[in-house]
Amino acid sequence: MLHFPFLKRRSSPRFVLAVFLCLSGASLHGLGPAQSSNSNSSDAILSGVVTSQVEGEMEGVLVTAKGVGASVAVTVVTNDGGRYAFPRSRLQPGPYRISIRAVGYDLEDPGTVEVRAGSTQNVNLRLRATRDLASQLSNVEWLLSVPGTEQQRNALGSCVGCHAIAFAVKSTHDTTAWRSVLHRMRNYSSPSFWLNPIKWPWEVPPRAGDADLAEYLSSINLSSGPDWKYELKTLPRPKGVATRVIITEYDLPRRESQPHDASVAPDGMVWYSDFGLPYLGRLDPRSGEIKEWRIPVARAGAPEGSLDVKFDREGNPWIGLLLQRSVAKFDVKTETFETWAIPEEKASERSRAGMVAMGPDGKVWLKTSVDTYGAHLLDPSSGDITSYPLPLSFYGTDSNSKGDLYLASLSDGVIGELIAKTGKVTIYPTPTPRSGSRRGHIDEQDRFWFGEFFAHKIGMFDTTTKQFREWPIPTPWAGPYDAIRDRKGYVWAGGMHTDLIYRLNPVDGEVTEYLLPTLSPNFRNIDVDSSTDPVSVWLGANHQAKIIRLEPLE
Ligand code: HEC
């Protein structure tokens, strides 16, 4: 049974009168005293109040400013007085376009806004009820709206790997058409997405249950009329602490890029892999400059594209080359790649080697999954690879300070431990069965923090005491893919279905949920730069070709 007690109606509408009072009162007060000083609206270069007829001043509206012709967009969120404020340090003077995210509403376009140095530009924004709510729903909102069993909705949720659920529910396919569409979908490789279809080099037969799925899909789409036969449900907007945030989005040069992992190097540069294309990219957060390098082909004929990005002691990125079954090191000084392949006899054509973990001694852990399960310890100085068989399929990995490998199994809901000295493997089931432990990061205290994709929890395995802890995330289909702890002690995760970034306080279990400005970003791994103040959380928007930086202000 699915039960969503959090789905409350929005806070009671305020009246139009209150809006006029606020507007005429020139209430240029800041976003609140608890906020960091550099974002008071007295320091603002662009500020204003967001209102609508129905709600009056609106809290939790994401307001995005993007320079005309620019590739960087900055987003802030309105406070409980409906006020938004862009800190002076975040927008260069010049012409800007404004957009918003507030489900159920469209912006009455204020036109191009001229931001000037030395003054605060006041631009109040008016929202009106949207006529196209369906185009604003996130994946989780579709999953909450459609009728169906949990199993049927989970099948729908699995489409999100390659595109939004909107593709399915807005279509007009009947059951017969769905059967052939599903057959086509099954034959796309997992690094595909809607703008870059990549077929498996082999034929994939229909799955058991696809006939039933076809029937289900034709019952929830527009095959029998122009409207959906169910109510479209929406999640509440952010409020309180979740509105105190700055989000910066950097557009990548290629729209068909899929920045799967965005990892921050010790010098603050952000390096990203591309799930479908053979490029390694680098974003300089100080200048916004983006540079990409083509990764050499390691295995001709196999799909290119990469996944995990980790750094060695010299700050060079290492990238897991997935179906190329290899790892690449990029030398930042010479700007050249060096690649090592998994031994031929340790993998099959379908095996993947997307993960990398850096040992404390300069050795590098690789991992194969699908058909053959193995961990492979590479000594880059000699090129020697020592392989260890694994008893089951693992997904994300990380090494602790002793060089032992910790692995999360999405399929089996366990954490595996591989002791580097002895090769001994021990399996630790997560407290929640079938948790969907997916990817994670080891912190300075050798604790492995990981996302429980199916259980909608953040998990922690202490590699010293072998004890687990788990914390639930309140939103359904929260589906955390990955988790990482920052130096202040907060743990960060992101949901592939929800467009939300979660910040967990492990001491009291409180979770703050930050909404991202772009619909269906589809982010996967998460990284955090604790050297900035506030910390910078980094993600790749896999389906929107953007790198995202989130800075919590409280
Ligand atoms: C492995 C990647 C992948 C998965 C998983 C996937 N799709 Fe797709 N889908 C694509 C790609 C690529 C396109 C665009 C190219 C095309 O239409 O063939 C697409 C397009 C579509 C379209 C629009 C085109 C059309 O024929 O109507 C629909 C509808 C669709 N998918 C439904 C689904 C459903 C339903 C699921 C989940 C049960 C799903 N897809 C899962 C890759 C995928």
Side-chain angles (χ1 to χ4, degrees), residues 211-382:
D212 291 342
L213 181 56
E215 204 160 306
Y216 172 63
L217 291 169
S218 63
S219 75
I220 57 166
N221 71 355
L222 298 176
S223 55
S224 56
D227 295 310
W228 293 278
K229 309 265 174 307
Y230 42 89
E231 191 199 342
L232 302 187
K233 299 196 179 109
T234 59
L235 288 179
R237 289 197 303 272
K239 45 176 192 277
V241 179
T243 67
R244 259 84 88 189
V245 64
I246 297 183
I247 298 160
T248 313
E249 296 176 299
Y250 305 84
D251 294 344
L252 297 185
R254 263 179 282 270
R255 180 59 187 91
E256 66 279 18
S257 288
Q258 287 184 81
H260 195 286
D261 280 25
S263 303
V264 57
D267 63 359
M269 292 288 195
V270 178
W271 294 83
Y272 57 90
S273 59
D274 192 312
F275 204 25
L277 301 173
Y279 294 98
L280 171 69
R282 186 192 67 192
L283 163 71
D284 181 345
R286 288 163 284 258
S287 63
E289 188 207 22
I290 287 171
K291 208 170 161 188
E292 292 188 343
W293 292 265
R294 201 198 189 288
I295 301 172
V297 179
R299 208 177 283 273
E304 299 189 60
S306 56
L307 212 157
D308 205 354
V309 182
K310 299 267 169 65
F311 301 95
D312 64 21
R313 289 172 294 184
E314 289 77 44
N316 298 310
W318 287 68
I319 327 128
L321 299 186
L322 212 63
L323 283 135
Q324 294 270 306
R325 300 198 300 284
S326 303
V327 64
K329 170 193 170 182
F330 183 72
D331 188 312
V332 290
K333 290 210 183 76
T334 60
E335 301 197 1
T336 51
F337 289 95
E338 193 175 350
T339 57
W340 292 265
I342 303 283
E344 208 55 38
E345 67 283 4
K346 303 285 182 203
S348 80
E349 189 198 0
R350 294 169 198 228
S351 301
R352 305 170 199 186
M355 299 298 164
V356 186
M358 312 306 295
D361 51 1
K363 293 197 182 134
V364 182
W365 281 107
L366 313 175
K367 189 215 71 190
T368 36
S369 56
V370 184
D371 284 357
T372 49
Y373 310 139
H376 312 273
L377 189 57
L378 164 72
D379 182 346
S381 56
S382 63

Side-chain angles (χ1 to χ4, degrees), residues 155 158-159 162-163 167-168 171 173 178 181-182 184-185 188-190 192-194 197 213 217:
S158 74
C159 315
C162 299
H163 50 70
F167 278 53
S171 73
H173 303 307
W178 267 122
V181 172
L182 286 176
R184 198 167 81 242
M185 299 302 134
Y188 288 134
S189 66
S190 45
S192 297
F193 84 125
W194 59 291
L213 181 56
L217 291 169

Side-chain angles (χ1 to χ4, degrees), residues 398-422:
D398 204 359
S399 162
N400 71 358
S401 65
K402 299 189 190 83
D404 300 329
L405 188 65
Y406 290 84
L407 308 106
S409 173
L410 179 67
S411 52
D412 291 57
V414 300
I415 299 301
E417 173 188 66
L418 200 172
I419 304 297
K421 279 212 179 77
T422 60

